[in-house]
């Protein structure tokens, strides 16, 4: 038996809306990795649900620090450290300590710089948190921004998102910090009815695009689903281009299923019946 890859997953746990840990745990498990959650916050539902004045948002920064204290006392190694939605700027410090403590030469540090979507920053993300997210991303071996997050990281206006492949290659290369880290940009589209992702693989110095049919709506949590499938593929030994193509295809199938079932956009995609395809 090969060793089971172990992932420290630093993300929130949201009761409703199929995002973050609710997606990452099942996906990594089915793809054969052990997911060790380090929850950043517990929420009643993701932040786009209505009635935010009645929502629960329990910040877990103190618990994260205590967890790190415990993990540091144990003889532990992680094959990947994977961060997503963060609850406060202070959590970046905890994450940096986690990375410093547990990063070895072969550890994959994946920072999904979750900050916003469709040109808008999420409700709970302060400018300070966004600035620190950019700093955290500088420590990653791989980042997976959507177009909104790519623009924020580059200090570009969302209206400047490239619509040509050559333009997107430039954004990939700028985000790679001179080829030092790998980058996957999601939500890329160059032609009507197609959408996908572009990736720069720093170990090969190459750019690839993986496209799929664009469905007629977009759903919450698909960025988290994408990054989890991508990471699962990489931990199984796939190249960045292969894992990107797998994640693009899987998300497209889940979105098609959500549309066929008439699922509400806020509920995220019904990936559960399709999980077996990732086995
Ligand atoms: O899917 C990104 C995400 C993760 N976690 C929480 C969110 C969102 C996006 O809205 O609100 C809590």
């Amino acid at each position: 038996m090969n060793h089971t890859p172990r992932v420290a997953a630093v993300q929130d746990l949201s009761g409703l809306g199929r995002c973050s840990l609710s997606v990452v745990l099942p996906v990594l498990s089915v793809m054969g990795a052990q997911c060790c959650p380090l929850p950043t916050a517990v929420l009643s539902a993701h932040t786009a649900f209505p009635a935010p004045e009645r929502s629960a948002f329990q910040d877990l920064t103190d618990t994260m620090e205590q967890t790190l204290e415990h993990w540091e006392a144990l003889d532990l190694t992680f094959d990947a450290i994977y961060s997503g939605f963060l609850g406060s700027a202070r959590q970046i410090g905890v994450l940096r300590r986690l990375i410093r403590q547990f990063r070895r030469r072969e550890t994959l540090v994946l920072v999904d710089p979750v900050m916003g979507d469709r040109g808008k920053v999420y409700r709970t993300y302060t400018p300070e948190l966004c600035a620190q997210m950019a700093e955290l991303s500088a420590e990653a071996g791989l980042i997976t921004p959507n177009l909104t997050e790519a623009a924020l990281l580059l200090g570009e206006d969302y209206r400047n998102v490239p619509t040509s492949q050559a333009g997107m290659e430039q954004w990939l290369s700028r985000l790679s910090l001179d080829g030092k880290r790998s980058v996957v940009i999601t939500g890329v589209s160059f032609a009507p009815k197609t959408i996908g992702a572009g990736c720069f693989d720093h170990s090969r110095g190459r750019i690839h695009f993986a496209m799929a049919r664009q469905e007629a709506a977009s759903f919450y949590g698909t960025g988290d689903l994408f990054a989890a499938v991508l990471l699962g593929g990489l931990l199984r030994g796939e190249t960045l281009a292969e894992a990107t193509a797998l994640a693009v295809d899987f998300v497209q199938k889940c979105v098609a299923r959500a549309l066929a079932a008439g699922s509400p956009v806020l509920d995220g995609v019904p990936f559960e019946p399709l999980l077996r395809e990732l086995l």
Side-chain angles (χ1 to χ4, degrees):
M1 237 352 236
N2 286 333
H3 132 101
T4 299
R6 186 189 285 143
V7 179
V10 189
Q11 310 247 352
D12 69 280
L13 184 61
S14 287
L16 297 176
R18 291 194 188 89
C19 64
S20 326
L21 284 176
S22 312
V23 170
V24 171
L25 271 161
V27 166
L28 288 178
S29 299
V30 85
M31 295 182 83
Q34 178 195 356
C35 178
C36 305
L38 178 44
T40 57
V42 173
L43 290 82
S44 44
H46 67 57
T47 55
F49 266 82
E53 69 287 354
R54 299 186 64 173
S55 63
F57 186 117
Q58 182 72 49
D59 178 277
L60 293 178
T61 311
D62 292 341
T63 312
M64 287 174 74
E65 279 174 349
Q66 192 65 55
T67 303
L68 199 50
E69 292 279 323
H70 191 191
W71 286 4
E72 282 170 357
L74 305 172
D75 187 22
L76 277 181
T77 57
F78 291 106
D79 299 279
I81 297 172
Y82 167 29
S83 74
F85 182 96
L86 301 177
S88 72
R90 226 179 93 212
Q91 293 184 352
I92 307 265
V94 184
L95 251 162
R96 292 188 134 166
R97 184 168 141 201
L98 177 79
I99 293 169
R100 210 177 328 119
Q101 199 67 31
F102 289 101
R103 176 178 239 163
R104 292 170 303 148
R105 202 174 41 79
E106 58 282 15
T107 311
L108 172 59
V109 177
L110 165 54
V111 172
D112 187 0
V114 174
M115 290 185 279
D117 202 3
R118 303 177 217 195
K120 282 201 166 144
V121 174
Y122 295 134
R123 179 167 63 73
T124 55
Y125 270 68
T126 60
E128 186 199 3
L129 185 49
C130 290
Q132 297 219 11
M133 189 62 106
E135 283 180 30
L136 176 68
S137 300
E139 301 198 17
L142 169 61
I143 60 170
T144 53
N146 60 26
L147 296 174
T148 305
E149 293 151 355
L152 282 167
L153 290 175
L154 291 173
E156 291 276 0
D157 197 291
Y158 184 65
R159 281 169 301 198
N160 296 338
V161 164
T163 50
S164 70
Q165 186 163 321
M168 198 52 76
E169 285 176 7
Q170 282 195 4
W171 272 33
L172 282 165
S173 130
R174 282 169 65 193
L175 283 169
S176 77
L177 307 176
D178 291 327
K180 282 202 279 294
R181 68 179 174 198
S182 292
V183 180
V184 180
I185 302 182
T186 60
V188 166
S189 179
F190 307 124
K193 299 189 182 151
T194 62
I195 192 162
C199 66
F200 168 77
D201 182 341
H202 112 277
S203 67
R204 289 157 211 257
R206 297 208 40 195
I207 287 179
H208 292 271
F209 290 91
M211 306 307 278
R213 190 178 72 224
Q214 178 160 28
E215 301 296 336
S218 51
F219 290 78
Y220 282 87
T222 49
D224 301 338
L225 182 63
F226 180 93
V229 174
L230 178 80
L231 177 58
L234 292 172
L235 291 172
R236 289 202 299 217
E238 293 172 21
T239 64
L240 188 66
E242 288 165 346
T244 298
L246 177 73
V248 165
D249 271 1
F250 189 72
V251 170
Q252 183 269 327
K253 281 187 192 158
C254 291
V255 173
R257 199 174 178 104
L259 279 169
S263 313
V265 163
L266 285 174
D267 281 355
V269 289
F271 63 85
E272 299 85 356
L274 295 169
L275 274 179
R276 72 192 68 212
E277 295 192 10
L278 297 173
L279 270 173

